[in-house]
Amino acid sequence: MKNSVLEKIQTKVNLVKTEERQLAEYLSQFDFESFQISGSDKEYVVEREAIFIKNGKIYAESVYEMCMALFEVKNRLVSDYEIGFMAWYEHIGLNKDKVSSLLKRARLYFDFPEHKVFITSLSDRAIRAITGKNSTFEIQRDLIENQVTSVIDIKDSINFNETHENKLVITHIHKWKYLNEKTVTKINKSIDTMNKKEIFETKAEIENFRRLLKDAEKKLKLKELEFENDNNLKLVSE
């Protein structure tokens, strides 16, 4: 027991020493010379820049871990204990809006894991804008890959794509007599905010719709055969 305590203390001591060494070895990439900043002021700023960068990484990792933890708890509880989930997150000091923002950020972490640092840097308003109901996976990917952080720019980009998409959908609808793409578009826009129960229900609806389409296809083939038989009879009678 005594050795275990000593080992833990030594581990913490080593961690502190490592952090101190990293701070001491930190090299800033800022061009101090171009701004004629003196050597003593440069040293002062670099020390604090190292602290800022270090804690920025800790903050980024903390935001990521919190989002993942919340996302996992939601998936565990919502299908059977939705009210319990709400009571739980209120118990730890969160409200509905904050939970929504954290879960949307978690969704972006899942979809674009290689951009974790950038996603963390986005404000809550930017997260809400980039995951809005009119946004799509492709739009989100473009915005994130181009590192767009301005809420106004994000909304303008989504509105532009939505207008262009609506024109395309309208064009397609005129070509469809019995079916249209509205249902599929609605499903795609809702996927990001679906809980486990909604995903299950949507998949069940798609499967039922697929069966209906197969039945319709069978009837169409039978009708085609009727026309073929009629034509064959006419040929024979002639």
Side-chain angles (χ1 to χ4, degrees), residues 31-174:
D31 186 4
F32 290 92
E33 287 71 22
S34 294
F35 295 92
Q36 299 180 346
I37 296 174
S38 67
S40 59
D41 286 337
K42 174 183 175 180
E43 184 178 348
Y44 179 87
V45 172
V46 170
E47 287 178 358
R48 279 141 191 84
E49 182 181 325
I51 295 170
F52 184 88
I53 297 299
K54 172 199 159 189
N55 285 281
K57 290 178 180 178
I58 294 172
Y59 170 76
E61 193 61 33
S62 296
V63 172
Y64 174 79
E65 294 293 344
M66 287 190 295
C67 288
M68 293 299 101
L70 184 65
F71 189 87
E72 289 166 0
V73 172
K74 173 183 177 291
N75 286 344
R76 183 69 173 260
L77 296 183
V78 163
S79 57
D80 297 315
Y81 311 100
E82 188 163 0
I83 296 176
F85 174 66
M86 294 172 64
W88 171 77
Y89 70 63
E90 288 174 353
H91 164 73
I92 61 173
L94 299 176
N95 57 40
K96 184 178 180 181
D97 290 340
K98 188 60 180 178
V99 167
S100 175
S101 180
L102 290 170
L103 291 176
K104 287 176 179 179
R105 198 183 294 269
R107 185 72 262 170
L108 292 178
Y109 284 135
F110 274 114
D111 290 342
F112 311 101
E114 68 277 18
H115 297 287
K116 184 170 79 171
V117 174
F118 174 71
I119 293 168
T120 300
S121 72
L122 291 170
S123 67
D124 284 352
R125 289 185 64 231
I127 290 292
R128 287 194 294 271
I130 205 171
T131 57
K133 64 178 182 179
N134 295 326
S135 185
T136 64
F137 178 86
E138 288 75 18
I139 293 173
Q140 291 172 1
R141 182 187 59 206
D142 290 342
L143 290 169
I144 290 173
E145 287 182 352
N146 289 289
Q147 298 197 347
V148 180
T149 59
S150 166
V151 175
I152 294 175
D153 290 342
I154 291 171
K155 289 182 177 180
D156 285 346
S157 179
I158 292 173
N159 290 337
F160 172 81
N161 281 278
E162 183 190 8
T163 301
H164 181 65
E165 179 183 307
N166 285 342
K167 288 180 180 178
L168 291 176
V169 170
I170 290 170
T171 302
H172 288 315
I173 288 173
H174 284 302

